Amino acid sequence: MFRKLHEPGAQALTLTIDGVPVRAEPGETVAAVLLRQQTAALRTTPVNESPRAPYCMMGVCFDCLAIVDGVASTQTCLVTVREGMRVERQFGKRSVLP
Amino acid sequence: MAKDYDYIVAGAGMVGAAIAAGLAGQGKRVLMLDGADTDLRAAKANFGLVWVQGKGYGNPHYQRLSRLAARLWPAFADELERETGIKLDYEQRGGLHFCLGQAQWDERALRMGQWQAQAAETGSCIDMLDRGGLERMFPAVRWGAEVSGASFGQMDGHVNPLRLLAALQAAFLSRGGALRSQHPVLDIQAQQGGGFLVHAGTEDHPTVYGASNVVLAAGLGSVALGPMVALDVPLRPQRGQLLVTERVAPLLPVPASGLRQTGEGTVMIGVTQEEVGYDLSTTTDAAVRMSRKALRVLPDLADARWVRHWSCLRVMTPDGVPVYAESTQYPGAWTALCHSGVTLASFHAGPFARALAERKLPDSLEIFHHERFDVSQAA
Amino acid sequence: MMREVDVLIVGAGPAGMSAAIRLRAAGLSVLVVDEQPAPGGQIWRAVETVAPTTTGKLLGDEYRAGQHLAAAFRASGADYEPQTQVWQIEPGWHVYKSCAGQAEVIRADQVLLATGAQERPAPFPGWTLPGVLTVGAAQILLKTSQQVPADPVWVVGSGPLPLLYMAQLVRAGGRVAGWLDTSPAGGWRRAMPYLGDVLQRFGEIRKGLGWLRELKQAGVKRIRNVQSFRALGDGKLKTLEYTVNGGGTRQVPAKVLLVHEGVVPSIHMTRALDCAHHWSDQQACLVPDVDEWGQTSLRGVYIAGDGAGIAGANAACTRGELAAIGIALQAGKLTAQRAVEQALPLREQLAGQQRLRPMLDAMYPPRASIFAPSDDTIVCRCEELTAGDIRRAAALGQPGPNQIKSFTRAGMGPCQGRQCGYTIAHILAAEQQRPVAQVGFYRIRPPLKPLTLGELASLDLDGEK
């Protein structure tokens, strides 16, 4: 849905989204990176499994939730990317079982 | 001009709505009066348990009443769902009371044994499960290391308490009842020769209603109303705090006292019992303690997000057992007060409402009269 | 041992930073906590890193101005904890916060809430589809990620922010497919009584006119008299459908739709604390009651910046400074006389900075249709409840919003009403023929931000260690 104005450049780092490596720039949020991916939706709701994507980018809508480094229901618009970060899309009611 | 009703029910919470729905179902003309949106409303903090095990320890009448209510529940839930189309998420597949460590288990086994013996004629409904028994009964659940077992109550179950209240109000309305919100009862005047005039609404602009009977089911609000019709029931508030998580995939198949997974998938954790007067504030301290307790039972919950924390004031009689009474001085004025409005809902909407409709409480309910608190009489 | 501080500031935006600098100068210990990884709030997001870049240039001077305050803030000696969320505040004042999965409680003598504002929730059919975002969100993406919509974007909204963003987007080489201008007709007419203010603060007006000119030069299509619109798509946004008054209905392809209907104070924390608020009919929102220093109805709790009432970044800085004076006064660091003296020039400055507000409010009032969504519009995003669901529940007696919450679960999701509270209140008001202020609002419950039970359980209770 979105594209960067320039390529990440020398400082680029790599994180994985559902196991797939993706390049990102230091200082940007995980939600921003997710909005660049081919799949529009980054989760489905626990109520009716409706597809959702980031809406407000400032932490007041809770639609940007994903699993970040194993922690589910994380507001990705408030998480800054890090080298090696593992991001997974969250579908329906998340499970707390391993 | 005052309107004429057979019954005016003060309070549209779990108790009031059940009674009113029952009365309307008996063909009575009923007006139910509800307070303001931000009034105390104990009915918004029910845990949702339809519970028998351990109820009325030391008071076999209350135990029997709870058992009766639980037996009535399935048919009551069925009828309510069919009538209103509101899904109650009622399940009766038993309930657990967890024990941590051997000492707690031994204590619980002893207590449950005594409890059952107090009403032995009703038959056994408790299984004491040790850790192995718990694991065999629920093989998919990962229990915390300290869990030594649980008492399993065969008659226990749970329901969505908020939908239950909505369904009771909806049934009441579809049975011809009248509901006035934002209309707290301000004054009740017994009339010469029978009947009552009830003033409700705002202080400077009250509406006056007339009825042959008035039922005080206003929870703690009944403290102010009772004396108007010589139904001085001693009540005190007892604070209960509870937590709820985000919706998670199924994890806990049956409810437990203090821990249950709802139909939506949220996990409810509770409940404190605090004597703090009319203080409705929540405390993070209590939240921390409750979460620690829950994690000792289901450690996997550590990853679940806590979404909401609220509190309410239980309607506590001095012995924690319900009060059902008719005013001696003003016949036609009744009261029904308890802190187990969910479990007893089937009883309130059924046999109790029928008794009220006949204007005669059965002898079996005598022991629930509040004169039992009158120490001066005993002396 | 619980950490203690004289003043805890929530929010490192214009107001929070300005207050921190002045409080430190007054000799108070200060801890500033903020959700973001860097100071700046919303308006100056990522300003430290972005201001010196080409993106900084296209964002404009007002944006870049933030870097000076950020530098002064860093040098002020205030403790600063980014990526930190406050999830509860209890009397004492005990502030509960979380960072990197670790919860902690801090005791502060006084608390300053500088949590700013949020975009006014304006539900419409299809607004929950992936591909629909707020204009503010797009601007944040431009600032923090230097990223723009990949395809020509549709913008639907009213107010200065869409104008600014579209101008910035165009400068960055992005494309606007079209702009549905939803501002109620007659804006300039409504602005006429404020002609004096306009002339006084013409520099600001000129700025806005400049953005309009840029858009015109870029050929951005502006469509007015929009009666209704909806977002369509299966699993994600595909089409924007709109109807113009007296005209027909058009459908246009869209992958990204940006919406904006003004800004309202973030009142979540002040409501959770049970501070007194008043209802602004004009802006259809709650505003906290504050005294001349920004103190709320709770002693020791202050609010500064847009959270106290929308007035923009410069006014936020000034209010931050005024709050700092008030806090320092209460802490005994200033005499009452000194406080008044220091405040005087700031109050004059603030009056100037707020001068255009009434005109802007008159030009861009929230349109009525925002509060009367169609039955099929989702109004509670978290619980996926429609306006029709709410209206049906409203028929059971005369429930208030908290009863509606009980019966439908509206407001029980993680956002706890940030996106639905006002809508539900308006729907009830319409169904019950009562003023919105009388209907009331959801009670806000802790936690202010969801944290895991494990984190909660690991909190040190005072006296444990």
Side-chain angles (χ1 to χ4, degrees), chain B residues 12-368:
Chain B
M14 207 57 78
V15 178
I19 292 171
L23 285 169
Q26 293 293 303
K28 300 298 175 189
R29 290 166 307 161
V30 187
L31 170 67
M32 186 162 51
L33 295 170
D34 196 15
D37 187 51
T38 48
D39 277 356
L40 290 177
R41 298 189 178 280
K44 64 168 158 37
N46 290 104
F47 206 68
L49 299 179
V50 182
W51 216 243
V52 172
Q53 68 169 288
K55 279 277 180 70
Y57 180 85
N59 190 323
H61 300 281
Y62 183 33
Q63 180 184 153
R64 288 189 194 99
L65 180 64
S66 304
R67 285 174 181 254
L68 167 67
R71 280 200 305 275
L72 294 173
W73 245 95
F76 162 68
D78 240 3
E79 191 190 351
L80 206 50
E81 277 193 351
R82 265 184 293 112
E83 197 178 331
T84 63
I86 296 173
K87 279 186 80 280
L88 298 178
D89 286 340
Y90 168 62
E91 283 181 348
Q92 192 200 33
R93 295 188 285 137
L96 296 163
H97 179 108
F98 295 110
C99 305
L100 299 169
Q102 194 55 42
Q104 269 191 23
W105 196 96
D106 294 334
E107 216 181 282
R108 185 73 184 169
L110 181 63
R111 189 176 170 92
M112 289 299 98
Q114 288 166 341
W115 176 78
Q116 293 204 113
Q118 286 163 4
E121 86 288 355
T122 55
S124 159
C125 67
I126 308 265
D127 294 320
M128 279 309 296
L129 302 170
D130 60 12
R131 171 110 189 176
L134 194 59
E135 284 172 345
R136 275 190 302 280
M137 194 176 244
F138 305 104
V141 184
R142 290 152 46 96
W143 305 107
E146 292 168 85
V147 175
S148 51
S151 56
F152 177 78
Q154 293 156 14
M155 298 181 75
D156 299 333
H158 61 161
V159 69
N160 183 321
L162 299 175
R163 292 226 211 107
L164 172 62
L165 183 60
L168 287 169
Q169 290 194 4
F172 170 71
L173 291 170
S174 78
R175 292 173 189 178
L179 168 63
R180 296 276 172 277
S181 302
Q182 331 282 339
H183 266 74
V185 173
L186 304 164
D187 191 26
I188 308 172
Q189 289 159 2
Q191 301 296 287
Q192 282 263 354
F196 302 86
L197 283 183
V198 176
H199 299 242
T202 49
E203 295 275 359
D204 33 271
H205 219 77
T207 328
V208 186
Y209 304 95
S212 324
N213 299 270
V214 77
V215 182
L216 304 187
L220 291 167
S222 314
V223 172
L225 302 179
M228 297 170 188
V229 286
L231 281 170
D232 299 59
V233 182
L235 287 178
R236 74 176 196 286
Q238 187 190 70
R239 186 167 75 190
Q241 298 188 47
L242 42 165
L243 312 176
V244 73
T245 68
E246 59 178 325
R247 295 167 187 244
V248 300
L251 169 72
L252 182 60
V254 293
S257 63
L259 188 63
R260 83 169 184 103
Q261 186 164 25
T262 67
E264 297 88 48
T266 61
V267 177
M268 289 179 69
I269 296 167
V271 192
T272 62
Q273 287 166 321
E274 303 165 88
E275 310 287 342
V276 291
Y278 285 84
D279 182 354
L280 271 169
S281 28
T282 55
T283 64
T284 302
D285 245 44
V288 172
R289 291 181 210 283
M290 287 189 283
S291 65
R292 286 180 185 171
K293 183 136 186 261
L295 294 184
R296 287 166 84 187
V297 176
L298 284 178
D300 287 326
L301 279 176
D303 279 342
R305 291 219 184 236
W306 164 46
V307 165
R308 220 160 60 256
H309 175 191
W310 69 109
S311 74
C312 229
L313 300 176
R314 279 187 201 85
V315 182
M316 285 307 275
T317 60
D319 56 6
V321 171
V323 166
Y324 302 115
E326 180 181 19
S327 172
T328 328
Q329 202 178 336
Y330 303 106
W334 314 81
T335 191
L337 300 160
C338 70
H339 70 85
S340 262
V342 173
T343 303
L344 296 171
S346 58
F347 169 71
H348 293 148
F352 186 72
R354 283 197 292 275
L356 279 186
E358 307 280 310
R359 304 200 65 184
K360 175 98 177 68
L361 292 183
D363 295 338
S364 56
L365 288 184
E366 281 268 320
I367 60 101
F368 291 107

Side-chain angles (χ1 to χ4, degrees), chain A residues 33-44:
Chain A
V33 179
L34 283 162
L35 281 167
R36 292 204 287 275
Q37 306 314 306
Q38 284 288 63
T39 324
L42 57 57
R43 72 179 190 111
T44 60

Side-chain angles (χ1 to χ4, degrees), chain C residues 152-157 162-181 210-224 242:
Chain C
V153 71
W154 277 90
V155 177
V156 180
L163 293 179
L164 173 58
Y165 173 71
M166 284 187 285
Q168 292 167 332
L169 179 62
V170 156
R171 293 172 205 162
R175 285 161 300 162
V176 179
W179 165 31
L180 297 188
D181 181 354
W211 302 332
L212 273 168
R213 205 170 32 245
E214 276 185 75
L215 298 179
K216 203 149 179 213
Q217 278 167 1
V220 169
K221 199 168 36 177
R222 179 185 189 178
I223 297 150
R224 274 184 267 209
Y242 64 92

Side-chain angles (χ1 to χ4, degrees), chain C residues 64-423:
Chain C
R64 288 189 294 182
Q67 65 185 315
H68 308 298
L69 190 65
F73 168 64
R74 293 271 192 193
S76 69
D79 280 332
Y80 166 54
E81 292 179 10
Q83 311 236 260
T84 301
Q85 297 192 321
V86 170
W87 47 269
Q88 174 63 319
I89 301 178
E90 284 178 4
W93 295 99
H94 292 110
V95 180
Y96 295 85
K97 64 177 193 63
S98 253
C99 181
Q102 285 275 54
E104 189 191 357
V105 57
I106 310 252
R107 209 203 64 75
D109 283 340
Q110 302 191 73
V111 174
L112 171 62
L113 302 176
T115 44
Q118 63 164 76
E119 281 164 285
R120 173 181 283 110
F124 58 91
W127 70 312
T128 55
L129 282 170
V132 179
L133 293 93
T134 60
V135 170
Q139 204 184 46
I140 287 167
L141 285 163
L142 182 54
K143 286 169 182 169
T144 58
S145 242
Q146 290 84 62
Q147 122 178 347
V148 297
D151 303 286
V153 71
W154 277 90
V155 177
V156 180
S158 154
L161 190 64
L163 293 179
L164 173 58
Y165 173 71
M166 284 187 285
Q168 292 167 332
L169 179 62
V170 156
R171 293 172 205 162
R175 285 161 300 162
V176 179
W179 165 31
L180 297 188
D181 181 354
T182 55
S183 18
W188 284 116
R189 193 181 7 99
R190 285 191 300 274
M192 283 310 291
Y194 305 99
L195 196 54
D197 301 324
V198 169
L199 295 173
Q200 272 280 324
R201 310 286 296 188
F202 197 70
E204 293 177 48
I205 303 290
R206 196 188 297 121
K207 240 184 4 192
L209 292 173
W211 302 332
L212 273 168
R213 205 170 32 245
E214 276 185 75
L215 298 179
K216 203 149 179 213
Q217 278 167 1
V220 169
K221 199 168 36 177
R222 179 185 189 178
I223 297 150
R224 274 184 267 209
N225 292 313
V226 177
Q227 190 183 84
S228 64
F229 64 96
R230 55 173 58 223
L232 300 165
D234 183 16
K236 64 180 175 193
L237 175 68
K238 188 151 176 268
T239 310
L240 168 65
E241 180 189 279
Y242 64 92
T243 309
V244 176
N245 279 329
T249 301
R250 265 199 83 197
Q251 283 200 353
V252 290
K255 290 224 178 93
V256 176
L257 171 63
L258 303 175
V259 295
H260 181 88
E261 296 285 349
V263 176
V264 292
S266 282
I267 44 146
H268 206 76
M269 254 180 222
T270 45
R271 290 270 304 144
L273 285 165
D274 257 330
C275 295
H277 294 71
H278 61 272
W279 175 253
S280 159
D281 261 326
Q282 220 265 352
Q283 285 300 297
C285 68
L286 288 171
V287 182
D289 292 341
V290 292
D291 69 8
E292 74 269 31
W293 300 113
Q295 184 164 222
T296 65
S297 55
L298 292 181
R299 196 180 142 81
V301 176
Y302 292 73
I303 181 155
D306 274 356
I310 307 302
N314 295 327
C317 291
T318 311
R319 279 163 127 161
E321 292 199 72
L322 283 167
I325 296 171
I327 291 170
L329 171 62
Q330 193 153 295
K333 295 290 190 180
L334 284 178
T335 61
Q337 182 169 344
R338 280 295 289 142
V340 170
E341 283 167 15
Q342 286 185 8
L344 200 51
L346 291 169
R347 295 196 192 283
E348 276 177 34
Q349 189 177 295
L350 183 61
Q353 289 161 338
Q354 291 180 316
R355 188 106 187 237
L356 272 188
R357 243 332 102 172
M359 187 214 87
L360 286 171
D361 285 352
M363 273 192 81
Y364 300 115
R367 59 185 161 83
S369 46
I370 288 173
F371 306 116
S374 57
D375 276 348
D376 65 333
T377 308
I378 288 180
V379 293
C380 172
R381 295 176 66 106
C382 298
E383 292 290 320
E384 306 195 60
L385 297 161
T386 63
D389 292 329
I390 306 300
R391 287 182 182 117
R392 266 186 297 279
L396 262 184
Q398 270 222 331
N402 291 289
Q403 281 216 278
I404 287 286
K405 187 174 169 185
S406 280
F407 289 157
T408 65
R409 290 189 58 85
M412 287 192 178
C415 100
Q416 275 213 55
R418 289 171 175 95
Q419 297 296 327
C420 69
Y422 288 140
T423 314

